[in-house]
Amino acid sequence: MRLSVIGCGYLGAVHAAAMASIGHEVVGIDVDAEKVGALSRGEAPFFEPGLQDILTEGVASGRLSFTTDMSEAAGAAVHFIGVGTPQQADGYAADLTYVRAAVAALVPHLRPGDVVAGKSTVPVGTAAELSEQITPTGAVLVWNPEFLREGWAVKDTVDPDRLVVGVPAGGAGEAAAQTLREVFHPAVAKGTPFIVTDYATAELVKVSANAFLATKISFINAMAEIAEATGADVTQLADAIGHDERIGRKFLGAGIGFGGGCLPKDIRAFSARAEELGRRESVNFLREVDAINLRRRDRAAQLVVDALDDRPHGRRVAVLGAAFKPHSDDVRDSPALDVAVRLHGLGADVVVTDPQAIGNARKVHPHLTYSADLDDALRDAEAVLIVTEWDEYRRHLTPEHAASLARGRTVIDARNCLDPARWRAAGWSYRGMGRP
Ligand code: UGA
């Protein structure tokens, strides 16, 4: 099928390349000429495992192209909208400027029978509003939220755990859902749940899924706070409650909490939308989820200050990690980088290292010191702080090697990803989050 993908950021670039990889002819469209240039040369503009391969392959096959020219969307059977919906600069609500601009630019190129499939995360009610512009062209708008995780984005796009499509009532909606079944043919053929619903439900599935995940993380981080007050161990607690299938162990990793381009802004946008709907109290707990999450960053910074006997000024701290999670170079609302910035603000001599995210980190916080080399970052450090659980730190860094470089013997494991017994046995003072 011929497809267009409007917006070539994390979501759109992966979607375009993934759709080409399953045999479609895809044009990716973005207003950023530099990004389009890189993608057209087959260069992934960000680090995402597996993306480079399918991009190279797609561009070489001639099935995948990129442009800044919206008129090239004409002729595609399905137009995916994957532009960003960031948090507004002056509030909690989502900024829909890019979604509205994409739809306005696309409308003149639509033909009757085309399907426009919104993928961006939007406040409930947005699809109904946008359909008023799209329906008069004879095209049909559906909402097809995306559940991909950074680091697993290619797999999640080609082989998702469910597909959700919000359609308008009637025959046109049913036909559009059928078109999407054809688009996602490999997943549909293997029996992936395919849920056809209305616009509002589809929009809400997305935000409620992210709200649930954020709540789960903040729940365990709240338990970490209680563990800290009682001497209990939150990781054992998580293991024990996680054995209950109704609870499950996933997303019960206590540490410095969630960040990234999705969870934080999505729960805030959800609160803002609920308030507009007169249902603020229904999601009031999300404000608490947000507050717990941010408190854990303070806690990690405080553990470092404690390790430096309350005198952080001028003291060397190795900060291991800048990305908001491993397998990503994304530093948007990164808890890791936020803790580094706090310590720098307290006067510590912070050196940040990360296997992938230093370039992006430097763009947002040019005043911090960075080193791509882990050994360099560890050299002469008085405290070692782990804030992103990359395998490089979790599995490969040994306490003996760290001790051969660092001056101090305190490790603060803000992601609870190390084996405390092993580090203690090697002479380190180990501090975790919610662990004795
Ligand atoms: C999240 C959702 O997991 C995806 O399903 C969704 O599609 C995506 O947002 C989106 O809306 O686009 P992502 O932002 O890639 O995906 O990252 P997650 O894997 O959800 O992790 C989010 C944050 O939570 C990270 O900072 C991670 O370190 C943190 N986290 C995760 C914890 O602190 N503890 C855990 O147990 C799990």
Side-chain angles (χ1 to χ4, degrees), residues 76-80 106 110-111 113-117 139-142 172 175-177 179-180:
V78 182
H79 308 273
F80 287 100
L106 176 63
L110 292 174
R111 299 168 314 177
D114 282 6
V115 175
V116 178
V140 182
L141 176 68
V142 302
T179 304
L180 280 211

Side-chain angles (χ1 to χ4, degrees), residues 157-417:
T157 304
V158 176
D159 183 18
D161 51 17
R162 80 286 209 191
L163 287 153
V164 176
V165 188
V167 302
E174 281 163 29
Q178 188 52 34
T179 304
L180 280 211
R181 278 195 187 86
E182 287 161 29
V183 170
F184 295 110
H185 61 99
V188 171
K190 71 174 267 201
T192 304
F194 192 97
I195 296 145
V196 180
T197 182
D198 54 85
Y199 286 154
T201 306
E203 291 164 324
L204 273 174
V205 166
K206 170 68 196 198
V207 286
S208 58
N210 276 1
F212 189 85
L213 294 172
T215 304
K216 206 169 173 192
I217 298 168
S218 277
F219 173 83
I220 202 64
N221 280 328
M223 294 308 107
E225 292 183 334
I226 304 294
E228 279 153 13
T230 54
D233 184 332
V234 77
T235 58
Q236 284 190 336
L237 180 150
D239 290 342
I241 63 172
H243 284 302
D244 183 333
E245 275 179 16
R246 295 169 303 172
I247 296 173
R249 180 64 174 83
K250 288 180 184 162
F251 270 65
L252 287 183
I256 44 170
F258 58 84
C262 302
L263 262 43
K265 64 114 176 146
D266 286 354
I267 60 167
R268 291 171 196 154
F270 196 8
S271 297
R273 183 69 184 128
E275 194 162 344
E276 285 168 10
L277 295 166
R279 291 288 185 277
R280 183 195 162 122
E281 66 278 16
S282 305
V283 293
N284 247 344
F285 68 94
L286 290 178
R287 294 183 187 258
E288 202 52 51
V289 164
D290 204 359
I292 294 166
N293 192 53
L294 296 175
R295 278 207 299 274
R296 300 315 284 167
R297 303 179 183 188
D298 295 335
R299 169 73 183 174
Q302 188 57 49
L303 285 177
V304 176
V305 171
D306 291 350
L308 300 172
D309 304 317
D310 286 330
R311 288 179 293 108
H313 196 86
R315 313 278 293 278
R316 181 93 182 225
V317 179
V319 177
L320 277 46
F324 84 106
K325 68 173 193 181
H327 314 292
S328 171
D329 65 356
D330 196 347
V331 299
R332 287 177 293 170
D333 203 345
S334 168
L337 209 45
D338 192 15
V339 173
V341 168
R342 284 166 201 233
L343 292 169
H344 174 84
L346 294 171
D349 175 13
V350 168
V351 183
V352 180
T353 184
D354 190 285
Q356 293 292 341
I358 285 184
N360 284 341
R362 193 177 269 126
K363 279 184 219 153
V364 259
H365 295 294
H367 54 285
L368 293 181
T369 305
Y370 298 94
S371 173
D373 184 61
L374 172 59
D375 286 3
D376 255 2
L378 289 169
R379 197 163 287 119
D380 297 330
E382 295 190 61
V384 176
L385 170 66
I386 301 191
V387 275
T388 312
E389 67 278 32
W390 286 99
D391 277 348
E392 281 83 341
Y393 318 140
R394 199 163 64 97
R395 288 183 199 275
H396 306 316
L397 176 63
T398 65
E400 294 75 22
H401 182 69
S404 72
L405 295 161
R407 190 140 36 103
R409 288 289 175 275
T410 304
V411 61
I412 292 105
D413 179 9
R415 290 290 188 179
N416 288 343
C417 62

